[in-house]
Structures are given as C-alpha cells and as structure tokens.
Amino acid sequence: MTESRDVLSPCCYRRKANGSEMADVSMANTLPVILNVYDVTEHKLVKGANKVFRLLGSGLYHAAVEVSGEEWSYGFTEGGSGVFSCPPRSCEVHHFCESIPMGTTSLSRDQLLRVVERLSGEWQGPEYDLVRHNCCHFSNAMLTALGVPEAPEWVTSMAKGGAHVVKAGERVLETVDEGKAARGASRGDGYQFGDLTRGLVANGKIARGA
C-alpha cells in the first residue's frame, strides 16, 4: 500500500486503502480485533478531563480498529476517502490511552481487504462531522463488519450525546423560524423576543390540525 505523507486532520498520516500493503500478511484462521482508544489531541486539558469523564462513563476520544497488524480509522479530507491507516497505537495527533480486545474475526485475507475497500468508499472525507459522523462511528461500522461487538459505551457516549444536543438545537432553531413566519417575517430576519413562543404555538396548532 502506498503511503501519502499528507497530514490528515484530525488524525495521523494518511495511507490510502488499496489493499496491497496487507497482501503479504500471514493470516491465521482467526485474527484478533482490537479497539485502540486515544484522548482527542495531545492537550493536557483533554487528558485531565477524560480522567474525570471516564469515571462518569464518557469522554472525548479518538477510536481506531486494529486488525492484521494495521490500525484503521477515519477523519476529514477535502476530497476522497477519509479512511486511513497507521501503525497500531501510533496516531500522531492524539494521546494513546488503551487497547480493548474486541474478539476475533474469521474473515479471510481477501474478505478483510474487501471490508476495508468497501468502508473506504462509504466513508468519504468531506462527509466527516465531529458530532454525527466521526472516527467513533466509523470504528463501530468496521467492528460490525468484522463480526465483533461495537465499542464500549464510554468510548462513544460523548459523540452520541453531542448528536442529541445538536438535534435539539436544530429543533429550537426550526421553532424560532416558525415563530418568525407567524409574525410575517422571513427566516433571514433577526430574532425578536417571542419568536420561540410563537413557534411553539404554531407547532401546537399543526399538531392539533388547526
């Protein structure tokens, strides 16, 4: 597999998944699958915060799947696939925390390569979203494709919770827009006191069929 030394934000150096690099790896009947977990970035504040969040079953983490001597994850790119690989536990822009054994996969070498190639096509770099479509979501997709359990809840809970917060925020903004419309304003007009209430009233009327 050919390595491109373009820095991939937010993770590591990119290695395109064309399958050749893994072709000479000796494959046993089953392969261990490992989830490698990192603190997001090397910032000391994040490391300290994660120690506290971990006690609460959460945290800000980068996740990657290790199988057959290579670690796979996902990040933003301006074009093409966001799937990349690096040596296990060696992502250069995050702080490695721990490795979690996830079981074994019985996929053959060719099947494993096809999984990587399929995911590389599905997980495009420009579609990366810090909350809704990130490395933790990718890791779960790859773990599922390998036939092992998804990541522990404490690894992904912050991403899932963030998605709920974003959705809630979007619902509030939509309600405000409906409130603006109720007073005859356009969505581009500035917020006025009462727009949220007017939107809630409008939603109530729609729900009642009024």
Side-chain angles (χ1 to χ4, degrees):
M1 183 176 295
T2 302
E3 179 177 350
S4 172
R5 298 294 287 181
D6 296 328
V7 175
L8 176 63
S9 177
C11 313
C12 300
Y13 290 104
R14 182 174 184 175
R15 298 188 187 183
K16 292 196 178 278
N18 59 21
S20 61
E21 188 172 29
M22 296 171 64
D24 59 352
V25 175
S26 177
M27 305 288 285
N29 291 331
T30 60
L31 290 169
V33 178
I34 298 169
L35 183 71
N36 290 327
V37 182
Y38 300 74
D39 293 315
V40 170
T41 79
E42 290 277 359
H43 201 290
K44 291 182 179 179
L45 181 62
V46 174
K47 297 178 189 177
N50 273 351
K51 290 180 181 179
V52 177
F53 285 141
R54 178 65 186 275
L55 298 175
L56 302 174
S58 188
L60 296 167
Y61 300 108
H62 168 73
V65 177
E66 178 185 345
V67 61
S68 190
E70 196 75 7
E71 179 179 295
W72 298 92
S73 194
Y74 170 73
F76 173 79
T77 59
E78 293 184 354
S81 178
V83 176
F84 65 95
S85 68
C86 65
R89 303 171 298 282
S90 299
C91 191
E92 296 180 357
V93 296
H94 300 297
H95 174 257
F96 175 73
C97 292
E98 63 179 285
S99 294
I100 305 173
M102 302 302 293
T104 60
T105 181
S106 59
L107 295 183
S108 68
R109 179 188 65 194
D110 289 342
Q111 289 172 325
L112 179 57
L113 295 178
R114 283 198 292 272
V115 165
V116 171
E117 290 168 357
R118 175 175 62 79
L119 293 174
S120 296
E122 293 174 354
W123 291 76
Q124 294 296 295
E127 296 173 0
Y128 178 90
D129 184 277
L130 187 61
V131 173
R132 295 172 173 161
H133 198 68
N134 59 32
C135 57
C136 293
H137 300 110
F138 169 82
S139 292
N140 273 343
M142 186 165 185
L143 291 171
T144 298
L146 295 175
V148 298
E150 291 189 345
E153 187 71 19
W154 62 266
V155 176
T156 60
S157 62
M158 188 68 77
K160 292 178 180 178
H164 290 313
V165 170
V166 169
K167 289 179 181 177
E170 289 178 342
R171 286 196 294 270
V172 170
L173 293 176
E174 290 170 358
T175 302
V176 168
D177 286 339
E178 290 165 0
K180 292 178 183 179
R183 64 178 169 87
S186 68
R187 293 193 174 194
D189 290 345
Y191 172 81
Q192 287 187 8
F193 181 77
D195 280 343
L196 179 58
T197 302
R198 280 186 286 270
L200 292 171
V201 171
N203 280 334
K205 289 180 178 179
I206 292 172
R208 295 193 305 270

